[in-house]
Amino acid sequence: MASISTEHTREQAMTKAGEVSATASTASTEEVRRGPTSRVIRDPKCWQDEGILVPHEAFRWYFRNFRSVLPRLTTAQAPAFYKLLEDYFFVSLEHHHHAEEELYNPMIEAKGATLPEKITADHEGIIQYVAEIRALRSAVEAGDEAALAKLKATFDAFMVDTEDHLAEEEEIYPQLLKDYVTEEEERACVDKIIQSLGLGGNMAFLPVIVHAMTLWKGKEGAEGFVESLPPPIKMLYRNFWKPDFERNQLGVLRALERGEVPKSPALFGCW
């Protein structure tokens, strides 16, 4: 598995990402699918398998959509693309890393498990990618075509390396949960993670989690997940966050995919 932290890996990832982008379908990414897109957990058998898929399938849903958008992204569309990243995707990614490092990993280690150092070390490489993507924003939005090309290459490499990282975690976490953690302990930790997201974090990430879950676990599985949420979170999701996702995430991605410049986002409140 490639290391995120080396420049050699970055070049390899950019090459690999270019191959993926060149063959990516231009059709809508919302085709009917059932089952995880994980390369490791193809057929989840237990809660330990499913737990890691909840956030990871959401990120892979983002990546499928980004791969559909990026090859045709123009500088005129860049402000809408960056707004989606800043308001939703980066918020979700940063909260996910914080939850792992501050809540989930300590919970597992407190039970006597040992996590590979690379799991958290990889986060530094991902953070560096995000910084590079952010640093290109002003030039891309000013119409710099070279900066746009750099954005596309960097973002492709970021997705490839992050997917490798997700796969590594999916090889490690389920077995550690089976060996050290009960379902009740894991559920209590997940509840703390939901609380730690705050309203803004939940608004950004929870609808993506649920939407992706309909694709890998089916509508009934996703609805069961929503029903298990604390009542206030469930109410906000149904009445505010889901409509916001449909307009300001899914709608923006579809407009970008069609080659359009998305309209200004609607505000649904409840941050």
Side-chain angles (χ1 to χ4, degrees), residues 5-78:
S5 60
T6 66
E7 197 64 31
H8 179 62
T9 296
R10 188 173 298 250
E11 292 172 0
Q12 287 180 322
M14 286 186 178
T15 300
K16 182 178 176 184
E19 293 170 355
V20 171
S21 295
T23 59
S25 171
T26 57
S28 171
T29 55
E30 288 303 285
E31 70 275 15
V32 176
R33 66 172 70 231
R34 181 67 184 269
T37 58
S38 168
R39 70 179 78 152
V40 176
I41 305 173
R42 302 299 300 164
D43 184 20
K45 301 291 188 183
C46 54
W47 67 266
Q48 294 95 334
D49 288 343
E50 290 192 349
I52 194 71
L53 295 177
V54 172
H56 286 191
E57 287 296 309
F59 287 120
R60 283 189 284 258
W61 176 85
Y62 269 126
F63 292 164
R64 290 196 302 275
N65 282 273
F66 292 156
R67 284 194 170 104
S68 182
V69 165
L70 278 168
R72 71 197 72 185
L73 186 72
T74 66
T75 55
Q77 293 175 310

Side-chain angles (χ1 to χ4, degrees), residues 9-251:
T9 296
R10 188 173 298 250
E11 292 172 0
Q12 287 180 322
M14 286 186 178
T15 300
K16 182 178 176 184
E19 293 170 355
V20 171
S21 295
T23 59
S25 171
T26 57
S28 171
T29 55
E30 288 303 285
E31 70 275 15
V32 176
R33 66 172 70 231
R34 181 67 184 269
T37 58
S38 168
R39 70 179 78 152
V40 176
I41 305 173
R42 302 299 300 164
D43 184 20
K45 301 291 188 183
C46 54
W47 67 266
Q48 294 95 334
D49 288 343
E50 290 192 349
I52 194 71
L53 295 177
V54 172
H56 286 191
E57 287 296 309
F59 287 120
R60 283 189 284 258
W61 176 85
Y62 269 126
F63 292 164
R64 290 196 302 275
N65 282 273
F66 292 156
R67 284 194 170 104
S68 182
V69 165
L70 278 168
R72 71 197 72 185
L73 186 72
T74 66
T75 55
Q77 293 175 310
F81 180 69
Y82 266 106
K83 183 169 180 57
L84 173 66
L85 295 181
E86 291 292 354
D87 289 354
Y88 298 98
F89 176 69
F90 287 157
V91 171
S92 301
L93 185 66
E94 289 162 0
H95 274 297
H96 177 64
H97 286 172
H98 177 269
E100 278 191 350
E101 294 176 3
E102 301 299 326
L103 295 171
Y104 206 77
N105 290 351
M107 179 270 296
I108 294 175
E109 290 173 331
K111 300 293 293 182
T114 300
L115 284 163
E117 291 183 5
K118 189 176 185 300
I119 291 294
T120 52
D122 280 355
H123 289 178
E124 295 301 318
I126 294 171
I127 290 169
Q128 180 59 36
Y129 272 126
V130 171
E132 292 178 16
I133 291 165
R134 282 174 161 154
L136 290 164
R137 182 173 187 172
S138 59
V140 172
E141 292 186 355
D144 187 331
E145 293 293 337
L148 178 63
K150 177 66 173 176
L151 167 66
K152 293 178 180 182
T154 301
F155 210 104
D156 278 341
F158 157 70
M159 292 190 290
V160 169
D161 273 355
T162 302
E163 285 169 335
D164 285 346
H165 172 69
L166 299 181
E168 288 175 346
E169 289 191 334
E170 287 162 10
E171 291 173 344
I172 294 166
Y173 279 104
Q175 189 59 52
L176 289 178
L177 293 174
K178 291 173 185 176
D179 292 342
Y180 293 96
V181 181
T182 68
E183 186 172 4
E184 292 74 19
E185 289 168 336
E186 200 264 354
R187 179 69 249 182
C189 185
V190 170
D191 287 343
K192 289 181 181 178
I193 290 171
I194 292 173
Q195 295 172 17
S196 75
L197 289 173
L199 294 181
N202 275 296
M203 181 179 182
F205 200 28
L206 183 59
V208 185
I209 286 174
V210 176
H211 184 75
M213 192 175 288
T214 65
L215 303 176
W216 69 268
K217 200 175 180 182
K219 290 184 178 180
E220 289 186 5
E223 183 59 27
F225 175 82
V226 172
E227 284 299 318
S228 73
L229 296 169
I233 297 296
K234 181 165 56 178
M235 182 276 293
L236 289 169
Y237 164 75
R238 293 195 190 281
N239 292 294
F240 298 99
W241 300 342
K242 183 180 179 182
D244 179 85
F245 164 77
E246 290 171 349
R247 172 67 185 269
N248 295 327
Q249 295 204 65
L250 191 57

